[in-house]
Amino acid sequence: MTLSDRLALASGGVALATVGLAVAGVPMPPGLGLALVLGGFAAAALLVLPRYAAQPSAVALDGTMRASATARGGVAWAMALVLTAYYAATYWFPGRLDGLVRLFEPLSHALRGRDSDVWFVYGTFYTLAVAAMGVRALVKYRDHPYHRARTLAVMAVQTLLAWALPALLVRLQRPELYFSYTWPLDYDFLFPSNVQMLRDHGTLGLFALVWGVLLLAVVTPMLTYFYGKRWYCAWVCGCGGLAETAGDPYRHLADPSLRAWKIERWTIHSVLVLIVATTALVWLRATTGFGGAVSDALARFYGFGIGAVFSGVVGVGFYPLLGARVWCRFGCPMAAILGIQQRFFSRFRITVNGGACISCGNCTTYCEMGIDVRHYAQRGQNIVRASCVGCGACASVCPRGVLRLENGPGARMGERVGPGAFVPEDALDVLT
Ligand code: SF4
Ligand code: SF4
């Protein structure tokens, strides 16, 4: 272990210990506590960079399959426990985090002009994780232009659109709006109460409402047609942003079995049906007064079961055990809509130069969505799978340049493409 590694461990330890003391209610000056937490985590993230810079630029790093933190060892279980406990406290026992919330008062007042709360703390940690692990990804992927571009995109969207802008709006006494999300990922965005709230907030509220509808009904179909779901899942979405940065060390943990694929198709489409039905019922109730008890129960169930337990506690808490895309793969209703379009009505596909495949399986191992890429590569079949988020990892880890992410007319999945010219390892089409 190098000196830099040791210092990184010490910095992270100081930050974690400060969080623990704050949660335990040990009084400390908020400014000092905040500096120790944010500074400690940021320093730890920066101090590990030399370790990545010393290794070749690659998706797969030495030791990933053996390290306790990334191979479901004791460290991974401990991390999952801490993350799950933090999520559970944020959702259901916010009072337990009062000490931690107090540490963030100086930042909340400086940024938002109001007291801190558990969601501000959560958003700040989330953004710090995307930023710090994003810098790590930039170093790790330094020779891969596609990965660098999508990492910069998710870092910018999270920091500016999902953290700084909502905070600024709060400071200006406006509603806290998130322009990078819409229904059904923001599940109550189209609920009557939210629509009314936006209409009550004048031009800005109306703009947010119109933008949300346009994002769902015009921007999404258009961009998905040209670029596949990757434009959102790997470049814009906050859940995808966290998965592609903080979740990057866990991409090999996704289950590539046929059984998992079958479960995935049932669960993700069930969640989509559930939110469509819930939204329809709350509107029915609002307009006719009919079905109040059912719509209330469904809305409560969705908020608790899907919004909190599935997307938060399981979706992020279990990163070190199940991989970073559990929510995106098995639950996200936005991904379900994007996936249906990608599967049937999009120019995006991964083209396969099957004759060059040596069946090493790297592509399947590092697919964060659990797609058995090798299965298609061995058969020389283009890949058009609803779940593919276009991260490009499969193409980058392939030692033979078999795979290529493309937007354009050509063979669809199932059609055989003959052995063609050798494709360079990082020949990925950026969103242009
Ligand atoms: S198939 Fe390739 S591009 Fe698609 S999600 Fe898997 S690794 Fe990423
Ligand atoms: S990584 Fe490349 S060579 Fe290996 S199985 Fe996948 S497509 Fe074939």
Side-chain angles (χ1 to χ4, degrees):
M1 196 183 273
T2 65
L3 176 64
S4 185
D5 290 340
R6 288 202 179 99
L7 288 172
L9 264 181
S11 306
V14 167
L16 268 180
T18 310
V19 170
L21 290 173
V23 172
V26 176
M28 66 182 92
L32 173 68
L34 184 65
L36 288 175
V37 172
L38 297 187
F41 282 134
L46 288 176
L47 285 163
V48 293
L49 293 183
R51 162 177 286 270
Y52 295 106
Q55 298 195 42
S57 170
V59 173
L61 295 182
D62 282 354
T64 304
M65 299 298 183
R66 291 187 305 275
S68 179
T70 51
R72 298 194 181 112
V75 176
W77 279 91
M79 286 164 65
L81 204 68
V82 169
L83 279 170
T84 305
Y86 174 65
Y87 265 88
T90 299
Y91 280 112
W92 302 301
F93 310 103
R96 296 281 170 93
L97 299 176
D98 280 351
L100 186 61
V101 168
R102 270 197 297 279
L103 291 194
F104 282 73
E105 294 294 8
L107 185 62
S108 182
H109 279 277
L111 212 63
R112 314 192 301 164
R114 73 155 67 158
D115 287 350
S116 176
D117 56 53
V118 283
W119 293 109
F120 177 69
V121 175
Y122 172 73
T124 305
F125 274 143
Y126 198 106
T127 306
L128 184 67
V130 171
M133 292 298 279
V135 172
R136 167 195 172 276
L138 289 174
V139 173
K140 186 183 160 204
Y141 292 124
R142 60 193 173 279
D143 294 339
H144 294 79
Y146 180 79
H147 298 310
R148 280 205 316 266
R150 64 174 175 75
T151 302
L152 282 171
V154 292
M155 288 168 72
V157 171
Q158 176 60 37
T159 310
L160 301 176
L161 285 185
W163 187 67
L165 183 60
L168 184 70
L169 289 173
V170 169
R171 185 175 195 89
L172 298 173
Q173 315 285 331
R174 301 301 174 115
E176 195 173 330
L177 300 171
Y178 294 80
F179 292 97
S180 50
Y181 298 102
T182 186
W183 184 94
L185 181 53
D186 185 358
Y187 72 91
D188 58 359
F189 180 78
L190 289 181
F191 281 12
S193 53
N194 194 59
V195 170
Q196 190 57 51
M197 184 278 288
L198 292 173
R199 290 177 64 188
D200 290 344
H201 276 89
T203 312
L204 179 68
L206 212 55
F207 173 77
L209 183 58
V210 172
W211 167 246
V213 172
L214 282 179
L215 185 57
L216 175 68
V218 179
V219 178
T220 292
M222 214 168 66
L223 291 183
T224 308
Y225 172 72
F226 286 112
Y227 305 118
K229 73 197 280 187
R230 60 174 160 163
W231 77 269
Y232 192 72
C233 296
W235 289 68
V236 173
C237 177
C239 306
L242 192 70
E244 294 298 332
T245 51
D248 180 67
Y250 310 112
R251 55 175 66 247
H252 59 287
L253 298 177
D255 181 356
S257 69
L258 197 59
R259 192 172 124 263
W261 185 16
K262 283 182 182 159
I263 294 172
E264 158 197 322
R265 283 180 291 179
W266 272 104
T267 53
I268 196 166
H269 296 118
S270 300
V271 172
L272 178 60
V273 169
L274 184 61
I275 189 56
V276 169
T278 305
T279 308
L281 279 173
V282 291
W283 271 101
L284 188 71
R285 184 208 178 163
T287 49
T288 67
F290 177 75
V294 180
S295 70
D296 281 355
L298 269 183
R300 266 201 309 276
F301 171 76
Y302 195 94
F304 174 82
I306 308 296
V309 176
F310 200 164
S311 80
V313 179
V314 176
V316 180
F318 289 12
Y319 264 28
L321 302 176
L322 300 177
R325 288 281 192 175
V326 171
W327 163 247
C328 310
R329 182 182 177 189
F330 293 95
C332 176
M334 183 77 181
I337 292 175
L338 290 160
I340 291 169
Q341 195 188 339
Q342 172 161 284
R343 177 70 183 83
F344 298 107
F345 191 59
S346 169
R347 295 160 65 97
F348 171 73
R349 80 285 321 279
I350 299 175
T351 54
V352 171
N353 173 12
C357 178
I358 54 170
S359 299
C360 66
N362 282 354
C363 48
T364 299
T365 301
Y366 288 97
C367 176
E368 60 188 344
M369 297 303 283
I371 296 171
D372 188 359
V373 182
R374 176 172 60 178
H375 172 89
Y376 301 98
Q378 286 171 329
R379 289 160 181 75
Q381 292 178 348
N382 283 350
I383 303 164
V384 184
R385 278 277 294 267
S387 60
C388 173
V389 291
C391 66
C394 54
S396 295
V397 293
C398 175
R400 301 281 293 164
V402 170
L403 308 158
R404 185 181 168 105
L405 276 68
E406 292 192 68
N407 313 307
R412 300 287 294 176
M413 185 167 79
E415 287 178 285
R416 282 184 187 279
V417 286
F422 181 77
V423 181
E425 185 228 325
D426 59 352
L428 305 171
D429 289 348
V430 180
L431 288 178
T432 53

